[in-house]
Short mmCIF file of all heavy atoms in Angstrom, two decimals:
data_model
loop_
_atom_site.label_atom_id
_atom_site.label_comp_id
_atom_site.label_asym_id
_atom_site.label_seq_id
_atom_site.Cartn_x
_atom_site.Cartn_y
_atom_site.Cartn_z
N SER A 1 0.86 -1.17 0.00
CA SER A 1 0.00 0.00 0.00
C SER A 1 0.90 1.23 0.00
O SER A 1 2.08 1.15 0.36
CB SER A 1 -0.93 0.02 1.21
OG SER A 1 -0.19 0.04 2.42
N GLY A 2 0.37 2.33 -0.46
CA GLY A 2 1.17 3.55 -0.55
C GLY A 2 2.12 3.52 -1.73
O GLY A 2 3.04 4.34 -1.80
N GLY A 3 1.92 2.60 -2.65
CA GLY A 3 2.77 2.45 -3.82
C GLY A 3 2.50 1.13 -4.49
O GLY A 3 1.60 0.39 -4.08
N THR A 4 3.27 0.82 -5.50
CA THR A 4 3.09 -0.42 -6.23
C THR A 4 4.38 -1.23 -6.24
O THR A 4 5.48 -0.67 -6.36
CB THR A 4 2.63 -0.17 -7.68
OG1 THR A 4 2.67 -1.40 -8.40
CG2 THR A 4 3.53 0.85 -8.38
N LEU A 5 4.23 -2.54 -6.13
CA LEU A 5 5.39 -3.42 -6.17
C LEU A 5 6.07 -3.41 -7.53
O LEU A 5 7.21 -3.86 -7.66
CB LEU A 5 4.99 -4.84 -5.78
CG LEU A 5 4.55 -5.03 -4.33
CD1 LEU A 5 4.04 -6.45 -4.10
CD2 LEU A 5 5.68 -4.71 -3.37
N ASP A 6 5.38 -2.91 -8.54
CA ASP A 6 5.99 -2.81 -9.88
C ASP A 6 7.25 -1.97 -9.86
O ASP A 6 8.12 -2.12 -10.72
CB ASP A 6 5.00 -2.18 -10.86
CG ASP A 6 3.92 -3.14 -11.28
OD1 ASP A 6 4.08 -4.36 -11.07
OD2 ASP A 6 2.90 -2.68 -11.84
N ASP A 7 7.37 -1.07 -8.90
CA ASP A 7 8.49 -0.14 -8.87
C ASP A 7 9.70 -0.67 -8.10
O ASP A 7 10.71 0.03 -7.98
CB ASP A 7 8.04 1.18 -8.23
CG ASP A 7 7.04 1.93 -9.08
OD1 ASP A 7 7.02 1.70 -10.31
OD2 ASP A 7 6.29 2.76 -8.52
N TYR A 8 9.59 -1.90 -7.60
CA TYR A 8 10.64 -2.38 -6.70
C TYR A 8 11.05 -3.81 -6.98
O TYR A 8 10.25 -4.63 -7.46
CB TYR A 8 10.14 -2.31 -5.25
CG TYR A 8 9.74 -0.93 -4.81
CD1 TYR A 8 8.41 -0.52 -4.90
CD2 TYR A 8 10.68 -0.03 -4.31
CE1 TYR A 8 8.04 0.75 -4.50
CE2 TYR A 8 10.30 1.25 -3.90
CZ TYR A 8 8.98 1.62 -4.01
OH TYR A 8 8.61 2.89 -3.61
N ALA A 9 12.28 -4.09 -6.63
CA ALA A 9 12.67 -5.48 -6.46
C ALA A 9 12.05 -5.97 -5.16
O ALA A 9 11.89 -5.19 -4.21
CB ALA A 9 14.19 -5.59 -6.39
N VAL A 10 11.70 -7.23 -5.12
CA VAL A 10 11.07 -7.80 -3.93
C VAL A 10 11.84 -9.05 -3.50
O VAL A 10 12.04 -9.96 -4.31
CB VAL A 10 9.60 -8.15 -4.18
CG1 VAL A 10 8.97 -8.78 -2.94
CG2 VAL A 10 8.81 -6.91 -4.59
N ASN A 11 12.26 -9.04 -2.27
CA ASN A 11 12.95 -10.20 -1.71
C ASN A 11 12.11 -10.80 -0.58
O ASN A 11 11.33 -10.10 0.06
CB ASN A 11 14.31 -9.79 -1.14
CG ASN A 11 15.31 -9.39 -2.20
OD1 ASN A 11 15.01 -9.39 -3.39
ND2 ASN A 11 16.51 -9.03 -1.76
N TRP A 12 12.34 -12.07 -0.34
CA TRP A 12 11.76 -12.74 0.82
C TRP A 12 12.90 -13.14 1.76
O TRP A 12 13.96 -13.60 1.32
CB TRP A 12 10.98 -13.98 0.41
CG TRP A 12 9.66 -13.71 -0.22
CD1 TRP A 12 9.37 -13.60 -1.54
CD2 TRP A 12 8.41 -13.53 0.48
NE1 TRP A 12 8.03 -13.35 -1.72
CE2 TRP A 12 7.41 -13.30 -0.51
CE3 TRP A 12 8.03 -13.54 1.82
CZ2 TRP A 12 6.07 -13.09 -0.18
CZ3 TRP A 12 6.70 -13.32 2.14
CH2 TRP A 12 5.74 -13.10 1.15
N PHE A 13 12.61 -13.01 3.02
CA PHE A 13 13.56 -13.39 4.07
C PHE A 13 12.82 -14.22 5.11
O PHE A 13 11.58 -14.22 5.14
CB PHE A 13 14.15 -12.14 4.75
CG PHE A 13 14.92 -11.25 3.83
CD1 PHE A 13 14.28 -10.29 3.07
CD2 PHE A 13 16.30 -11.36 3.72
CE1 PHE A 13 14.99 -9.46 2.20
CE2 PHE A 13 17.02 -10.55 2.87
CZ PHE A 13 16.36 -9.59 2.11
N ARG A 14 13.56 -14.89 5.93
CA ARG A 14 12.95 -15.60 7.04
C ARG A 14 13.88 -15.58 8.24
O ARG A 14 15.10 -15.42 8.09
CB ARG A 14 12.61 -17.04 6.66
CG ARG A 14 13.82 -17.94 6.39
CD ARG A 14 13.35 -19.32 5.91
NE ARG A 14 14.47 -20.22 5.66
CZ ARG A 14 14.33 -21.44 5.15
NH1 ARG A 14 13.12 -21.90 4.82
NH2 ARG A 14 15.39 -22.20 4.95
N GLN A 15 13.28 -15.71 9.39
CA GLN A 15 14.06 -15.77 10.62
C GLN A 15 13.43 -16.77 11.57
O GLN A 15 12.28 -16.60 11.98
CB GLN A 15 14.17 -14.41 11.29
CG GLN A 15 15.13 -14.38 12.45
CD GLN A 15 15.51 -12.98 12.87
OE1 GLN A 15 14.83 -12.01 12.54
NE2 GLN A 15 16.61 -12.85 13.59
N ALA A 16 14.18 -17.79 11.87
CA ALA A 16 13.73 -18.81 12.81
C ALA A 16 14.11 -18.38 14.22
O ALA A 16 15.06 -17.61 14.41
CB ALA A 16 14.37 -20.14 12.48
N PRO A 17 13.38 -18.87 15.21
CA PRO A 17 13.70 -18.50 16.60
C PRO A 17 15.15 -18.81 16.94
O PRO A 17 15.63 -19.91 16.68
CB PRO A 17 12.74 -19.37 17.42
CG PRO A 17 11.60 -19.64 16.50
CD PRO A 17 12.20 -19.73 15.13
N GLY A 18 15.84 -17.83 17.48
CA GLY A 18 17.21 -18.03 17.90
C GLY A 18 18.23 -18.06 16.78
O GLY A 18 19.41 -18.34 17.01
N LYS A 19 17.77 -17.77 15.56
CA LYS A 19 18.70 -17.81 14.42
C LYS A 19 18.73 -16.45 13.73
O LYS A 19 17.84 -15.63 13.89
CB LYS A 19 18.28 -18.89 13.42
CG LYS A 19 18.40 -20.31 13.98
CD LYS A 19 18.18 -21.34 12.90
CE LYS A 19 18.41 -22.74 13.43
NZ LYS A 19 18.23 -23.77 12.35
N GLU A 20 19.75 -16.26 12.92
CA GLU A 20 19.87 -15.03 12.17
C GLU A 20 18.91 -15.04 10.98
O GLU A 20 18.50 -16.09 10.50
CB GLU A 20 21.31 -14.85 11.67
CG GLU A 20 22.32 -14.62 12.77
CD GLU A 20 23.70 -14.27 12.23
OE1 GLU A 20 23.89 -14.31 11.01
OE2 GLU A 20 24.58 -13.97 13.05
N ARG A 21 18.57 -13.85 10.55
CA ARG A 21 17.72 -13.72 9.36
C ARG A 21 18.44 -14.32 8.13
O ARG A 21 19.64 -14.14 7.97
CB ARG A 21 17.42 -12.25 9.12
CG ARG A 21 16.51 -11.96 7.95
CD ARG A 21 16.20 -10.49 7.89
NE ARG A 21 17.40 -9.68 7.83
CZ ARG A 21 17.43 -8.37 8.03
NH1 ARG A 21 16.33 -7.73 8.33
NH2 ARG A 21 18.58 -7.70 7.95
N GLU A 22 17.67 -14.97 7.32
CA GLU A 22 18.19 -15.64 6.12
C GLU A 22 17.46 -15.13 4.89
O GLU A 22 16.22 -15.04 4.88
CB GLU A 22 18.00 -17.15 6.24
CG GLU A 22 18.42 -17.95 5.03
CD GLU A 22 18.03 -19.41 5.12
OE1 GLU A 22 17.19 -19.76 5.97
OE2 GLU A 22 18.56 -20.20 4.33
N GLY A 23 18.20 -14.80 3.86
CA GLY A 23 17.57 -14.44 2.60
C GLY A 23 17.05 -15.69 1.91
O GLY A 23 17.77 -16.68 1.80
N VAL A 24 15.82 -15.64 1.46
CA VAL A 24 15.18 -16.79 0.84
C VAL A 24 15.17 -16.67 -0.68
O VAL A 24 15.50 -17.62 -1.40
CB VAL A 24 13.75 -16.96 1.36
CG1 VAL A 24 13.01 -18.06 0.61
CG2 VAL A 24 13.76 -17.24 2.86
N SER A 25 14.77 -15.49 -1.16
CA SER A 25 14.66 -15.33 -2.60
C SER A 25 14.82 -13.86 -2.96
O SER A 25 14.59 -12.98 -2.13
CB SER A 25 13.32 -15.85 -3.12
OG SER A 25 12.27 -15.02 -2.67
N CYS A 26 15.20 -13.62 -4.21
CA CYS A 26 15.24 -12.26 -4.73
C CYS A 26 14.57 -12.24 -6.09
O CYS A 26 14.60 -13.24 -6.83
CB CYS A 26 16.66 -11.73 -4.82
SG CYS A 26 17.78 -12.74 -5.78
N PHE A 27 13.98 -11.12 -6.42
CA PHE A 27 13.13 -10.99 -7.61
C PHE A 27 13.31 -9.57 -8.08
O PHE A 27 12.88 -8.64 -7.43
CB PHE A 27 11.69 -11.26 -7.16
CG PHE A 27 10.68 -11.53 -8.24
CD1 PHE A 27 11.03 -11.95 -9.49
CD2 PHE A 27 9.32 -11.40 -7.95
CE1 PHE A 27 10.09 -12.22 -10.47
CE2 PHE A 27 8.36 -11.67 -8.92
CZ PHE A 27 8.74 -12.07 -10.17
N THR A 28 14.01 -9.39 -9.20
CA THR A 28 14.35 -8.04 -9.62
C THR A 28 13.12 -7.25 -10.06
O THR A 28 12.07 -7.81 -10.37
CB THR A 28 15.35 -8.09 -10.78
OG1 THR A 28 14.79 -8.88 -11.83
CG2 THR A 28 16.67 -8.68 -10.35
N ARG A 29 13.28 -5.96 -10.14
CA ARG A 29 12.18 -5.07 -10.50
C ARG A 29 11.63 -5.44 -11.87
O ARG A 29 10.42 -5.42 -12.09
CB ARG A 29 12.64 -3.63 -10.48
CG ARG A 29 11.60 -2.65 -10.94
CD ARG A 29 12.12 -1.24 -11.00
NE ARG A 29 11.16 -0.36 -11.64
CZ ARG A 29 11.37 0.92 -11.90
NH1 ARG A 29 12.53 1.47 -11.57
NH2 ARG A 29 10.45 1.65 -12.47
N ASN A 30 12.50 -5.73 -12.82
CA ASN A 30 12.05 -6.11 -14.16
C ASN A 30 11.55 -7.54 -14.24
O ASN A 30 11.10 -7.99 -15.30
CB ASN A 30 13.20 -5.94 -15.16
CG ASN A 30 13.57 -4.49 -15.37
OD1 ASN A 30 12.73 -3.61 -15.18
ND2 ASN A 30 14.81 -4.24 -15.74
N ARG A 31 11.66 -8.24 -13.11
CA ARG A 31 11.20 -9.64 -13.02
C ARG A 31 11.94 -10.54 -14.00
O ARG A 31 11.44 -11.60 -14.38
CB ARG A 31 9.69 -9.75 -13.26
CG ARG A 31 8.85 -8.71 -12.56
CD ARG A 31 9.12 -8.65 -11.08
NE ARG A 31 8.31 -7.62 -10.40
CZ ARG A 31 8.61 -7.05 -9.26
NH1 ARG A 31 9.73 -7.37 -8.64
NH2 ARG A 31 7.81 -6.15 -8.72
N ASP A 32 13.18 -10.12 -14.36
CA ASP A 32 13.94 -10.93 -15.30
C ASP A 32 14.96 -11.83 -14.61
O ASP A 32 15.54 -12.71 -15.25
CB ASP A 32 14.65 -10.04 -16.33
CG ASP A 32 15.54 -8.99 -15.68
OD1 ASP A 32 15.43 -8.78 -14.45
OD2 ASP A 32 16.33 -8.36 -16.41
N ILE A 33 15.18 -11.61 -13.32
CA ILE A 33 16.12 -12.43 -12.58
C ILE A 33 15.46 -12.86 -11.28
O ILE A 33 14.91 -12.04 -10.55
CB ILE A 33 17.43 -11.68 -12.26
CG1 ILE A 33 18.09 -11.18 -13.54
CG2 ILE A 33 18.39 -12.58 -11.48
CD1 ILE A 33 19.30 -10.29 -13.30
#
């Protein structure tokens, strides 16, 4: 909200209890990578 995801790269991360945050996926703005 307050904008559109079309303008951004979007990544997913996760963090398990007691563990450091981990990058799960990356998705470029152009959706080509």
Side-chain angles (χ1 to χ4, degrees):
S1 61
T4 171
L5 293 174
D6 284 344
D7 292 337
Y8 301 94
V10 178
N11 291 0
W12 285 94
F13 298 85
R14 67 185 181 185
Q15 188 165 19
K19 294 189 176 181
E20 293 187 355
R21 182 175 56 194
E22 176 188 16
V24 173
S25 69
C26 56
F27 195 21
T28 55
R29 176 184 171 184
N30 292 334
R31 317 306 180 203
D32 55 347
I33 302 173

